[in-house]
Amino acid sequence: QVQLVESGGGLVQAGGSLRLSCAASGRSPTMAWFRQAPGEERQFVAAVRSGYTYYTDSVKGRFTISRDNAKNTMYLQMNSLKPEDTAVYYCTAGSPILSNLRSDSAYYNWGQGTQVTVSS
């Protein structure tokens, strides 16, 4: 089982930037970020798999996902942050089939989450 530890969350004003990191204890074909706002279900944000990246529409052009395989670490660079980006961000890793990549039920290893708060 892969252990995942997120870092980099915090409080930022709208329009600002944050960079999240996720350190993994091992390698997985797919690594992804999900987020969960209060009262809402956990939602897909972005994933990286075999050099390809995938994003939910609301973050395209603002967020960039990347991974450093030598360090077993994944990153999420978040620019032009909006209040609606406020959520707990979770790192996950696994080997879902491509059609399930955006489904949280396809992953079994999760980090503890890191809070991102964007003030207006």
Side-chain angles (χ1 to χ4, degrees), residues 23-66:
S25 62
R27 289 196 61 180
S28 299
T30 301
M31 295 189 76
W33 291 97
F34 284 73
R35 66 187 179 186
Q36 187 168 22
E40 297 185 9
E41 295 184 351
R42 191 158 50 186
Q43 297 178 334
F44 172 79
V45 176
V48 56
R49 169 190 167 121
S50 301
Y52 291 92
T53 57
Y54 307 84
Y55 298 94
T56 192
D57 286 346
S58 62
V59 308
K60 285 180 181 177
R62 300 188 298 122
F63 291 11
T64 302
I65 190 172
S66 62

Side-chain angles (χ1 to χ4, degrees), residues 34-43 83-90 115-116:
F34 284 73
R35 66 187 179 186
Q36 187 168 22
E40 297 185 9
E41 295 184 351
R42 191 158 50 186
Q43 297 178 334
E84 50 264 44
D85 295 318
T86 295
V88 177
Y89 284 69
Y90 295 93
Q115 176 70 47
V116 171

